[in-house]
């Protein structure tokens, strides 16, 4: 495994996880992106449409397409934000809540599978490393476009 770069392992693992989630979602007539969106919307209060994209790490145009599709399928509805006259809250419908539960069940099953096969100590190290990578990126410790001498 040492011959692979960190980003290669991250990318290939995430692609494998995404394929697995898409296969699972297909059985529910959905996609991983829809499931992720369902899980990112506050089931009680709704979520401002403007904060949903950053929360999910998704571009506004991609999120708009997903939300439009979800609205057409009756998973979500848009309501005016009472705290911001210009804003919109995305709320889950009853159907959306039931599909959110399906998505959550799949995620929890995957977590359980990993926890059954990986020691708590190794998982703690995994989360520690992932948090460090996220911190390094957030702190912009590395400037990929600058050359160093």
């Amino acid at each position: 495994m040492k011959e692979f770069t960190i980003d290669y392992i991250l990318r290939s693992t995430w692609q494998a996880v995404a394929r697995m989630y898409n296969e699972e979602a297909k059985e529910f007539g959905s996609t991983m992106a829809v499931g992720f969106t369902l899980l990112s919307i506050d089931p009680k209060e709704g979520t401002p449409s403007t904060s949903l994209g950053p929360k999910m790490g998704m571009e506004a145009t991609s999120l708009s397409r997903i939300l439009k599709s979800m609205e057409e399928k009756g998973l979500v509805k848009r309501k005016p934000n009472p705290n911001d006259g210009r804003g919109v809250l995305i709320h889950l419908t009853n159907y959306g809540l039931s599909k959110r539960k399906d998505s959550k069940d799949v995620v929890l099953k995957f977590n359980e599978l990993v926890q059954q096969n990986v020691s708590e100590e190794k998982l703690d190290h995994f989360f520690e490393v992932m948090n460090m990578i996220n911190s390094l990126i957030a702190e912009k410790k590395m400037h990929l476009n600058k050359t160093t001498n």
Side-chain angles (χ1 to χ4, degrees):
M1 293 297 259
K2 298 248 187 240
E3 67 271 9
F4 294 118
T5 61
I6 292 165
D7 79 306
Y8 174 85
I9 296 296
L10 286 170
R11 191 174 52 250
S12 63
T13 301
W14 174 245
Q15 287 172 343
V17 170
R19 272 192 307 277
M20 176 201 65
Y21 277 143
N22 270 317
E23 287 173 21
E24 289 290 325
K26 207 182 296 181
E27 292 184 27
F28 295 97
S30 191
T31 66
M32 182 193 76
V34 169
F36 185 40
T37 306
L38 289 169
L39 292 171
S40 299
I41 297 170
D42 184 304
K44 292 183 177 125
E45 304 295 322
T47 300
S49 57
T50 52
S51 68
L52 198 52
K55 181 178 180 180
M56 297 174 61
M58 190 178 279
E59 294 295 321
T61 51
S62 299
L63 182 60
S64 285
R65 278 193 301 272
I66 290 169
L67 288 174
K68 184 175 190 260
S69 164
M70 290 174 72
E71 199 168 18
E72 289 168 358
K73 292 176 182 171
L75 295 164
V76 297
K77 58 186 170 207
R78 299 169 199 251
K79 293 182 179 178
N81 187 338
N83 301 322
D84 176 3
R86 300 165 298 155
V88 173
L89 290 176
I90 307 298
H91 284 271
L92 298 172
T93 63
N94 287 336
Y95 180 55
L97 285 167
S98 112
K99 289 298 183 181
R100 183 182 195 278
K101 182 187 178 317
D102 292 340
S103 296
K104 186 174 180 178
D105 289 346
V106 169
V107 169
L108 292 176
K109 260 193 263 183
F110 176 63
N111 273 276
E112 189 177 306
L113 175 67
V114 172
Q115 289 170 340
Q116 288 171 353
N117 289 277
V118 180
S119 73
E120 188 175 344
E121 181 183 8
K122 285 184 178 182
L123 281 174
D124 287 345
H125 289 302
F126 169 78
F127 284 112
E128 186 180 331
V129 170
M130 291 296 106
N131 286 328
M132 179 54 69
I133 289 171
N134 280 321
S135 292
L136 290 170
I137 292 167
E139 294 169 13
K140 297 180 179 15
K141 294 261 182 179
M142 185 164 176
H143 302 282
L144 297 174
N145 294 326
K146 293 183 181 179
T147 57
T148 56
N149 293 331

